[in-house]
Amino acid sequence: MRLRQVHLDFHTSEAIGEIGRDFSKTQFQEMLKLGHVDSITVFSKCHHGWAYHPSEANETHPELNFDLLGAQIEAAHEIGVNTPVYLSAGLDEKLARRHPEWLIRDPQERTNWAADFMEPGYHQFCMNTPYLDILAAQVREVVERYDADGIFLDIVGVRECYCQSCVAEIRRRGSDPRSKEDMRVLWEETYARYAAEMDKAVHELKPGLPLFHNNGHIKRGRRDLAAFNTHLELESLPTGGWGYDHFPLSVRYAQGLGMDVLGMTGKFHQSWGEFGGFKHPNALRYEAALSIANGAGCSVGDQLHPLGEMDPATYALIGEAYAEVEAKEEWCRDVSSVADIALLSAEAACSHYGDAEPDRKAITLADTGAVRILLEGQYLFDVVDNESDLQAYKVVVLPDCIAITPELQKRLDAFVAAGGKILATGRSGLTPDAAGFALELGASWSGVSPFNPTYIRPSFELPSLRTASFLVYAQGYDIEAENAGEVLAARQNPYFNRDLFTFSSHRHTPSNMQDAGPGMTEGSAGIYVAWNLFADYALFGSLPVKQILHHALDKLLSSVSGGRTLEASLPAQAVATLQEQPGRNRRVLHLLYAPPIRRGKDVEIIEDLPFVRPTEVSLAEDRPAREVYLAPQRTPIEFTQENGRIRCTVPEWSCHQMVVVEV
């Protein structure tokens, strides 16, 4: 897998003339070299629907008079750079205006992306229409005629659609479009048929050619959808709507699927199509480092100017990051994650209770908050689904809203019997009918607390604060302690909920300072906390909430054989990962630090890369270590190894430092 890719967008209107006029093979090659690029995704077809090469399956852009795609492939291959080829699959604006009946429709007959044809924008196609055959022919043509190093198909996935083709098909089956359950079956079948046609178009001609279907997000728990791809590209532009939380959550899941992974960010200040927008070089350095620290390659989004000349400022920016990646590649290939904790993704577990639909917002908050908590504690973790093997982990985290089905209970019982521990919060740990706990967590279930917000009073002191009644905004739950359970924190209620005739002060009513029962318990299987604490942290970032959860994780890890693999004196927002290179008999510890700041309206940016003071590291390792050194500097550092732990001090560092343990 190439680790230094550029995704070169080229969505170009027919209203712009002289397309590709300034393209130069020499200049194209010079920019790739300046950017330290080893793979670049180039365009066959854009969202406007035009081809950038001679075509019989499509129409060439009316203002292009040469084979731009062929010229780009030839230029890149001449200097050893790969060229996956992009086709817009879900969008084709020229065809949308000719065949609006093929577009995705909602129940009110509105199109999506652009709601109608009286506003600027694209319109998405339904694959349950004749459009699928047209697209397949376009893909087949590229694979036949060009030396492509892969095919990238964009804007595709399982889509809700009520176009007349879908309505007619569901009625032909004897059902009704008002049956959401039956429509879901059709939508899934439509995407599977699309994927099969694309696979045939590519792999009947060139078996093994990389193929990726981009949906903007790899849905956790849908391994069947991931399997339509030969590799994964995780679109995650931090300033483009994904935020800095999305990529760690996505990549910690994707690495465990056994496929090559690329992390896709952008050079833009905000997002795709932003001509003249640039992020700070330090942001791109950090984002590239975060990819390789998680076992992934890198892909940086750019957009080529309609005239075809590559932008020197862009490739100087990319080159600053990719020069560092190139120097680090030796320690970043063929790696596997080392983790203590398995975070069972709420998205993957499809949590629900009784007949209720899953609460998608609650699921997102649970996963997001859990990853923040784990990252800020520098815990080594993977994000897992219901098919993952849990036996390699020490602790399983069930965030906020995971019902324990009989199948999941069987797996968790086996995990606990083998010595593992569980941390559950909120409604996690309950049976699907919410009748009671399915796990021995030291508590019995009473129900949803009628008060909000409520307060938690730990029986232990937090590292940064003395004991107090700490506010929790998230929904709380009433529980009782079981005889064998240990109470780790109490719950307190306010005097009353804030209401028309019962309110006090500016926000909410204070605690009545009375013990209302346990709020945090420990049983033989692990620890339970009676609030949706991960959602609370995602929304509010409360220091007591974080330190309470860290206390619970540390307590569980200390009770498991081997304890915590990594301990390090790092700032709260520093990230640590540990990757194993089995073929080289070494482990690589990645330390990263680049705190984002809010700039403008809802835009997180990275600009400064503060130096981190010397970092004390303690790493569990039973095998005798031959050498410990910094990479890519190859500077040896002193270490001791006793009682199964390596201890060393990492000198002052900035942005990304690798510590290599050769065994």
Side-chain angles (χ1 to χ4, degrees):
M1 180 180 69
R2 302 294 179 103
L3 300 188
R4 292 169 279 120
Q5 181 160 295
V6 162
H7 186 95
L8 188 63
D9 260 9
F10 199 53
H11 304 293
T12 307
S13 168
E14 63 277 8
I16 298 176
E18 299 184 296
I19 301 304
R21 183 196 70 189
D22 295 339
F23 174 80
S24 158
K25 174 181 178 179
T26 300
Q27 198 263 353
F28 188 76
Q29 292 174 335
E30 287 174 350
M31 292 303 100
L32 295 179
K33 291 174 182 176
L34 177 63
H36 293 259
V37 175
D38 64 9
S39 180
I40 183 165
T41 301
V42 288
F43 266 45
S44 162
K45 175 192 174 186
C46 72
H47 290 342
H48 294 273
W50 302 112
Y52 294 92
H53 54 88
S55 177
E56 292 160 16
N58 197 0
E59 297 172 42
T60 304
H61 193 292
E63 297 295 330
L64 178 68
N65 59 17
F66 70 103
D67 186 351
L68 177 59
L69 174 64
Q72 290 173 324
I73 291 174
E74 179 185 351
H77 282 180
E78 195 172 278
I79 58 171
V81 174
N82 276 5
T83 54
V85 174
Y86 174 104
L87 294 95
S88 178
L91 305 176
D92 183 326
E93 194 58 19
K94 68 168 165 45
L95 206 56
R97 291 182 175 273
R98 298 173 190 172
H99 290 285
E101 73 275 14
W102 294 350
L103 299 176
I104 288 175
R105 302 280 176 165
D106 71 8
Q108 287 73 45
E109 278 289 311
R110 292 174 298 220
T111 56
N112 69 11
W113 281 55
D116 53 43
F117 284 91
M118 296 305 292
E119 61 177 273
Y122 304 116
H123 302 81
Q124 190 173 186
F125 276 84
C126 174
M127 297 298 176
N128 189 30
T129 65
Y131 174 70
L132 178 60
D133 293 333
I134 293 173
L135 176 64
Q138 293 170 349
V139 172
R140 191 176 297 109
E141 180 181 72
V142 170
V143 176
E144 283 179 341
R145 295 185 179 183
Y146 291 95
D147 186 16
D149 294 302
I151 297 294
F152 185 108
L153 299 172
D154 203 9
I155 319 297
V156 288
V158 178
R159 300 288 193 255
E160 295 190 7
C161 181
Y162 293 88
C163 75
Q164 291 309 304
S165 293
C166 289
V167 169
E169 174 60 22
I170 207 71
R171 294 192 70 197
R172 186 189 67 78
R173 298 180 181 191
S175 185
D176 189 296
R178 289 165 289 193
S179 169
K180 192 75 173 279
E181 184 178 346
D182 288 353
M183 291 300 288
R184 282 199 187 105
V185 172
L186 174 61
W187 300 330
E188 292 277 349
E189 290 176 357
T190 297
Y191 183 61
R193 184 167 61 253
Y194 149 83
E197 288 299 314
M198 297 305 107
D199 183 76
K200 184 194 299 184
V202 173
H203 293 134
E204 279 189 353
L205 295 165
K206 293 185 180 176
L209 190 70
L211 171 62
F212 179 66
H213 308 272
N214 186 43
N215 188 33
H217 173 66
I218 305 300
K219 188 171 182 180
R220 296 178 293 281
R222 291 301 307 269
R223 293 187 180 220
D224 56 332
L225 299 183
F228 290 139
N229 306 288
T230 60
H231 67 287
L232 300 176
E233 301 193 29
L234 309 182
E235 187 177 6
S236 186
L237 283 66
T239 56
W242 286 263
Y244 277 98
D245 288 326
H246 178 265
F247 180 71
L249 173 56
S250 190
V251 75
R252 292 300 339 116
Y253 175 66
Q255 191 184 9
L257 296 180
M259 307 169 74
D260 285 342
V261 178
L262 286 173
M264 181 187 289
T265 183
K267 69 95 179 181
F268 316 105
H269 173 58
Q270 293 192 69
S271 195
W272 300 106
E274 185 187 55
F275 290 101
F278 293 83
K279 64 179 46 169
H280 196 284
N282 285 343
L284 197 56
R285 288 174 59 204
Y286 175 75
E287 290 158 19
L290 189 62
S291 280
I292 60 175
N294 283 283
C298 310
S299 181
V300 176
D302 179 28
Q303 179 147 353
L304 182 65
H305 190 276
L307 296 180
E309 182 176 22
M310 301 276 270
D311 180 43
T314 293
Y315 287 86
L317 166 64
I318 293 171
E320 286 196 44
Y322 276 3
E324 295 182 1
V325 173
E326 187 173 16
K328 297 169 182 176
E329 286 184 4
E330 175 185 341
W331 296 275
C332 301
R333 292 189 178 278
D334 303 316
V335 297
S336 57
S337 167
V338 179
D340 292 333
I341 296 171
L343 167 62
L344 181 55
S345 165
E347 180 183 65
C350 295
S351 308
H352 65 280
Y353 297 89
D355 296 327
E357 281 282 318
D359 184 336
R360 297 299 170 189
K361 181 178 179 182
I363 285 169
T364 298
L365 291 173
D367 281 349
T368 298
V371 167
R372 283 189 192 172
I373 288 291
L374 293 167
L375 287 172
E376 292 180 23
Q378 289 89 45
Y379 295 99
L380 302 177
F381 72 97
D382 292 331
V383 178
V384 303
D385 60 22
N386 285 328
E387 297 181 47
S388 301
D389 181 7
L390 301 179
Q391 296 306 316
Y393 302 100
K394 299 171 183 176
V395 171
V396 171
V397 175
L398 307 177
D400 291 357
C401 53
I402 295 182
I404 308 301
T405 62
E407 183 177 307
L408 179 57
Q409 180 163 6
K410 182 178 178 181
R411 298 174 67 234
L412 291 174
D413 286 347
F415 172 74
V416 171
K421 294 291 184 179
I422 293 167
L423 172 61
T425 58
R427 294 170 71 97
S428 289
L430 294 175
T431 56
D433 61 2
F437 287 106
L439 305 168
E440 296 295 330
L441 298 170
S444 60
W445 177 255
S446 297
V448 178
S449 171
F451 294 99
N452 184 264
T454 50
Y455 299 83
I456 182 171
R457 190 174 183 90
S459 61
F460 49 89
E461 195 163 295
L462 304 185
S464 302
L465 300 166
R466 293 193 177 183
T467 301
S469 300
F470 298 114
L471 173 69
V472 182
Y473 283 106
Q475 179 63 58
Y477 303 93
D478 292 342
I479 59 172
E480 299 295 332
E482 289 190 336
N483 291 335
E486 178 185 357
V487 176
L488 303 178
R491 186 183 73 258
Q492 294 179 352
N493 293 325
Y495 286 99
F496 40 74
N497 286 332
R498 188 175 180 87
D499 201 359
L500 179 61
F501 299 112
T502 54
F503 69 91
S504 180
S505 193
H506 299 292
R507 290 179 68 88
H508 48 260
T509 313
S511 168
N512 62 16
M513 305 308 289
Q514 301 298 309
D515 189 329
M520 181 175 179
T521 60
E522 183 172 13
S524 59
I527 291 175
Y528 171 74
V529 191
W531 287 268
N532 296 332
L533 280 198
F534 290 114
D536 191 277
Y537 196 68
L539 287 170
F540 305 108
S542 161
L543 175 64
V545 166
K546 176 170 74 171
Q547 294 192 345
I548 287 166
L549 287 167
H550 284 175
H551 176 88
L553 288 166
D554 290 341
K555 194 172 195 299
L556 293 173
L557 284 169
S558 67
S559 70
V560 176
S561 176
R564 186 170 175 172
T565 298
L566 172 68
E567 296 174 359
S569 58
L570 290 165
Q573 286 189 287
V575 173
T577 69
L578 185 62
Q579 300 289 339
E580 181 98 33
Q581 277 188 307
R584 294 177 178 264
N585 294 318
R586 65 187 177 203
R587 284 184 167 180
V588 183
L589 172 64
H590 296 263
L591 306 175
L592 302 103
Y593 184 57
I597 60 170
R598 193 168 297 278
R599 183 76 55 81
K601 185 179 183 296
D602 298 328
V603 177
E604 282 186 323
I605 68 158
I606 288 172
E607 190 166 303
D608 297 321
L609 295 175
F611 278 91
V612 179
R613 66 177 184 269
T615 304
E616 301 297 325
V617 170
S618 173
L619 189 65
E621 180 56 75
D622 291 326
R623 300 166 295 180
R626 295 187 291 106
E627 185 182 11
V628 178
Y629 60 92
L630 306 178
Q633 303 96 316
R634 298 183 185 272
T635 304
I637 57 176
E638 293 183 1
F639 70 95
T640 61
Q641 185 174 19
E642 55 184 356
N643 300 322
R645 297 199 76 85
I646 293 172
R647 288 178 170 80
C648 64
T649 302
V650 181
E652 186 178 69
W653 57 277
S654 176
C655 186
H656 178 217
Q657 180 62 64
M658 296 186 293
V659 182
V660 183
V661 178
E662 302 271 4
V663 294

